Amino acid sequence: MSTQHDDEQRGGQAPRDAGGRPDEHTPRKTKGAARMTKGTSPSAGGASPPADGGPRPRKGPAKGGAGGRVPGQGATTGATGTTDSTGTPGAPGTTGSTGAGAEDGGRAPLTRRRLLGTASAAGAAGLVVGGAGGAAGYAATREEPPAALSSLGSSSVPFHGTHQAGITTPAQAHGHLLAFDLAPGAGRKQAAALLRRWSEAARRMMAGEPPHDGDSDTGIALDAGPASLTVTFGFGRSFFSRTGLTDRLPAELEPLPHFSADALDAKRSDGDLWIQIGADDALVAFHALRALQREAGGSGGPARLRWQMNGFNRSPGATAHPMTVRNLMGQVDGTNNPKPDEKDFAKKVFVPSSGSPSWMAGGSYVVLRRIRMLLDDWDGRSLAEQEKVIGRRKADGAPLSGGDEHTSPDLDKRGEDGLPVIAADAHVRVTAPETNGGAAMLRRPFSYHDGFRDDGAPDAGLLFLAWQADPLRGFVPVQRKLDRGDALSRFLRHEASALFAVPGGPGKGEYVGERLLES
C-alpha cells in the first residue's frame, strides 16, 4: 500500500468543500485558549495580539463552566504518508500560528508562589529560535496566572455538520484509533445508548468542555484548550448482525479481498465499533480516549475494547514555513491528494444525499491498514536507489522527470539511455490516478512507532486511513495494482486491516448513528 500521503498546509488557505464553501470542519478560531479551573483568577495584565492575527488572551475567566475549556484560535496540521497513491489531506507539518504570550512589560520577579507559564509552538509570528522556527518557551513564576500564550490549544472543530469531523479536518499531531466489540447480550438498544453517551461526550470535549457534568472527569486535560480535537465514529460489518440490522448493511462493507502482501493479525483487525481521535495536544487526545473508553464501561459495559493504535504527525510550528511533511522513510510525503475545492471531491469521498442506504448520506467508508515499514532495510539503501523506488527526489519531493514537488510527473519522459526516467515499478507511476482508471481516495493517516522488535528493528510505519464513497472503486483497485508490481511494497508489511462505515455528521440534538439505530 502506498505510504505517501498528501497534506493541506497549516497557515494556508482554509479547506473548502466541493461547492467552494469553507469546510465546516476546519478548526475555528475564537478568543481564549486555556480552560480555567475553579478558583483560578484571570490575568491581571492583557496580552498584545500576535503579529499574525492570532487570538487575544482573555482578560477574565473562560466561559463554559468550571473546569470547562474554551474554543479558540489556532492553526492545524496535516497527515504524513506516501506521496502519490491517491492522496492524503492534512497538514504538511507546518507552522502553526502561535500567539505571543501574556505580556506584562517584562518577566515578573521570582516569588515563592510558583505558577507555570506555558509556551506556544512557535511559527512565523511566535517565538522563533535562530530564525528557523521551532518551539520556544519558559517556565516562570509570577504573582498572577498567565494569560494563554498559544493559539494552538484554542482551535476548535464543530461536532455537528453534514459530515463527521476528522475526515476533511487537517490531520492533527496526535491520534488514537480504537475498535470495540459489543459485549455478549448487548444489542441494538445498548448500542444506541452507548452511541448517545459517546456523542455527547465528544461534542462537549470538542467544544472545550468536560465530557460530562459533575466531578468524575479525570482532569487530564484541565487548563488546555480543545487543540483541534476531533472524534469520529464508525460501524464494522459485524455490528449489523449483532444488532439485528442486517437489512441495513451497506453493500460497500463487503469484506476486502486478500492481498499477497497481507500478514494480518486478526486480533488487531476489524471490530463492531470504531473511533478515531485526533488533537494537536497529546494530553487532550488521551483525555478523549480515556473518557470514551470509560463510557464503554469496561468489562461490565456494553462494549469491550478489541484493539487500540496510537499515531502522530508533525507538530505545528516544527518548520519555518508551511511545508509538506516527511514520512518515517524520510520522503516528502503528501503531494497528490484530492482537494476539497475540486469539483468531484465530494463524489469521490462522500456518499451523496440520495445514496443508499439512506442512513449513510453524507458519510464515507474508511479503510484502515497498519503498515510496518522495513526501515533498517530502507535506510541501508543508497539515495539513488530510494529515489528510483519512489520516483521522486528525496530532497524536495520533485518527480525525477523534473520540476518541483507539485509538478505532474512526466511518465513518458526517457533518459539518455532510452529508459523511462521514472521506472516502470516506481511508486509514483503505479499509484498515479491516470494508471488506475481514475480511482481515488482521501488519505489521512498517522505515523506510528511501537518500540522495537526482537531483532532490534523498529516496529514503526503508517496507520493508513483511506476515505472514499466506495472502497471497491477507491482503495481496492489501487491496492491490487500495488500488489502486482510496486517497488515500494518490498519495504512494507501489512499487519492489520479493517473497513468501517462512517455515517454522516449529526444534526443539532442528534447522536452519531441515530438514523441507523432509530429510523
Side-chain angles (χ1 to χ4, degrees), residues 405-494:
E405 178 192 347
H406 300 287
T407 301
S408 297
D410 184 352
L411 302 179
D412 296 324
K413 186 174 181 178
R414 294 180 177 272
E416 295 180 357
D417 57 3
L419 298 176
V421 173
I422 296 176
D425 61 352
H427 186 70
V428 67
R429 180 186 292 274
V430 177
T431 60
E434 57 267 33
T435 67
N436 290 288
M441 51 192 165
L442 182 69
R443 293 174 296 135
R444 190 181 183 273
F446 293 92
S447 293
Y448 77 88
H449 179 220
D450 290 340
F452 294 86
R453 296 163 58 85
D454 291 341
D455 61 1
D459 185 0
L462 192 70
L463 302 179
F464 177 88
L465 295 167
W467 300 85
Q468 59 258 289
D470 183 354
L472 294 178
R473 297 183 180 181
F475 171 80
V476 171
V478 175
Q479 183 58 30
R480 279 177 171 158
K481 182 85 174 291
L482 292 166
D483 211 34
R484 292 194 297 267
D486 174 36
L488 185 60
S489 294
R490 297 194 295 270
F491 302 92
L492 308 174
R493 295 292 182 270
H494 293 241

Side-chain angles (χ1 to χ4, degrees), residues 306-365:
R306 180 181 178 89
W307 53 257
Q308 179 198 335
M309 301 176 188
N310 307 314
F312 57 89
N313 285 306
R314 176 178 282 165
S315 297
T319 57
H321 55 83
M323 296 177 66
T324 307
V325 297
R326 294 182 182 272
N327 61 25
L328 299 189
M329 288 178 159
Q331 300 294 317
V332 172
D333 198 347
T335 304
N336 193 29
N337 215 29
K339 303 298 189 295
D341 58 357
E342 295 172 356
K343 64 179 181 179
D344 58 348
F345 176 85
K347 181 179 179 180
K348 293 175 180 176
V349 178
F350 295 111
V351 177
S353 58
S354 59
S356 178
S358 59
W359 64 267
M360 272 295 291
S364 187
Y365 295 91

Side-chain angles (χ1 to χ4, degrees), residues 263-265 268 370 372 448 453 459 493-497:
L264 306 180
D265 180 356
R268 292 192 294 183
R370 184 185 188 272
R372 179 165 58 88
Y448 77 88
R453 296 163 58 85
D459 185 0
R493 295 292 182 270
H494 293 241
E495 298 183 336
S497 179

Side-chain angles (χ1 to χ4, degrees), residues 19 21 25 60 78-79 92 110 140 147-148 152 157 161 197 202-203 226 249 251 288 305 377 431 456 485 510 514:
R21 298 176 296 274
H25 289 128
L110 299 181
L152 174 72
V157 181
R197 295 197 303 274
R203 180 194 67 78
L249 175 67
L305 184 68
D377 191 3
T431 60
E510 287 185 331
E514 181 172 332

Side-chain angles (χ1 to χ4, degrees), residues 2 64 73 158 197 256 273 334 445 462:
S2 162
Q73 301 180 339
R197 295 197 303 274
L256 297 173
L273 294 161
L462 192 70

Side-chain angles (χ1 to χ4, degrees), residues 59-232:
K59 295 185 178 180
K63 296 180 180 179
R69 292 183 298 176
V70 179
Q73 301 180 339
T76 52
T77 317
T80 81
T82 52
T83 318
D84 288 280
S85 258
T86 41
T88 343
T94 68
T95 55
S97 82
T98 61
E103 297 171 1
D104 52 10
R107 299 185 183 180
L110 299 181
T111 68
R112 294 181 180 179
R113 181 182 180 186
R114 298 185 57 87
L115 295 172
L116 180 64
T118 60
S120 68
L127 300 173
V128 180
V129 178
Y138 63 91
T141 59
R142 47 177 82 196
E143 291 295 339
E144 68 284 337
L149 297 186
S150 177
S151 61
L152 174 72
S154 60
S155 296
S156 66
V157 181
F159 176 73
H160 301 102
T162 303
H163 316 298
Q164 287 195 61
I167 302 175
T168 59
T169 312
Q172 301 96 323
H174 306 276
H176 300 290
L177 307 176
L178 307 88
F180 291 82
D181 288 333
L182 291 176
R188 180 175 177 176
K189 179 179 179 181
Q190 291 77 16
L194 177 59
L195 265 296
R196 190 178 294 110
R197 295 197 303 274
W198 272 351
S199 294
E200 177 61 9
R203 180 194 67 78
R204 292 177 61 120
M205 289 187 290
M206 287 171 59
E209 304 171 7
H212 41 68
D213 293 326
D215 298 326
S216 61
D217 183 32
T218 60
I220 296 169
L222 284 176
D223 310 315
S228 299
L229 174 67
T230 60
V231 181
T232 316

